[in-house]
Amino acid sequence: MTADDSADVLSVTLAAQWKQSVDPRVLGFAVTAAMNAATMQALAKQVERPTVEEPPTPPVPQQDGSRITLDEATQLLDAVQADLDRFMRQVAEVTDRPVTVESRGGHVRGTTQRGQVLDVAVDPAWAHTARTSELEQEVLEVLRALRAPGADLARGPRSPAIAELTALVSDPNALLRRVGLLP
């Protein structure tokens, strides 16, 4: 298994003669162990070499000098709160309960919770007769799908309302002018 420094799975490769050395009934255990080892290796690399990400550049606030009314400010804050509530529900769904995915072929199934792969199950009868490339593809599909829910959320909450509020507070003087506290 090959994974990048973020533990995103890039490829899955089975040993050439795996069918002679591994019982298809325990193949899922081997995949689970390899995925968790790749995740731990990625975490170790991140600890050794923390990456400093540039915060996204907030959109430029309106330069037209228009005032923000109390109603507009309240609507913006309500929209931001709704977006944050929605984001927190999504985070809770990903972290608080196991997520199970199945390959399109239906031969591989995996479960994850809190970023850890709990289980990968491979249909042993199919694994015994399937081409290695088919097996690798279905395992790769499942492992990528298991990483997908948390990966998107790791970037944090994003929405037009959050971007607008970020733009407003990024320039305190412009904000004070827009709310009428500065000329």
Side-chain angles (χ1 to χ4, degrees), residues 36-88:
N36 286 327
T39 300
M40 293 306 292
Q41 187 176 24
L43 289 173
K45 286 181 182 179
Q46 290 172 13
V47 168
E48 290 173 7
R49 297 174 293 154
T51 57
V52 178
E53 289 187 27
E54 294 281 328
T57 305
V60 178
Q62 292 179 355
Q63 300 298 320
D64 63 4
S66 64
R67 299 271 187 225
I68 297 173
T69 67
L70 180 58
D71 285 343
E72 291 170 335
T74 302
Q75 288 173 357
L76 177 60
L77 291 175
D78 287 346
V80 167
Q81 186 62 54
D83 292 340
L84 291 174
D85 289 345
R86 186 173 21 264
F87 177 76
M88 293 308 293

Side-chain angles (χ1 to χ4, degrees), residues 12 14 18-19 23-25 27-28 31 102-109 120-142:
V12 171
L14 296 173
W18 78 270
K19 288 183 183 181
D23 183 340
R25 293 173 293 187
L27 181 59
V31 171
E102 186 173 275
S103 63
R104 286 178 288 205
H107 305 108
V108 180
R109 186 179 58 257
V120 175
V122 179
D123 177 352
W126 173 79
H128 186 68
T129 60
R131 291 189 315 240
T132 300
S133 61
E134 292 173 317
L135 182 54
E136 291 169 342
Q137 184 57 42
E138 286 201 35
V139 169
L140 178 62
E141 177 187 337
V142 166

Side-chain angles (χ1 to χ4, degrees), residues 56-63 68 76-77 80 159-178:
T57 305
V60 178
Q62 292 179 355
Q63 300 298 320
I68 297 173
L76 177 60
L77 291 175
V80 167
S159 74
I162 291 170
E164 184 178 348
L165 182 60
T166 302
L168 281 170
V169 299
S170 68
D171 183 351
N173 288 328
L175 174 62
L176 291 173
R177 274 192 292 284
R178 299 239 4 242

Side-chain angles (χ1 to χ4, degrees), residues 83-99 112-115 149-150 153-154:
D83 292 340
L84 291 174
D85 289 345
R86 186 173 21 264
F87 177 76
M88 293 308 293
R89 282 193 305 275
Q90 291 171 333
V91 168
E93 287 175 9
V94 170
T95 60
D96 292 345
R97 66 175 174 81
V99 175
T112 187
Q113 185 174 11
R114 293 188 177 100
L153 295 175

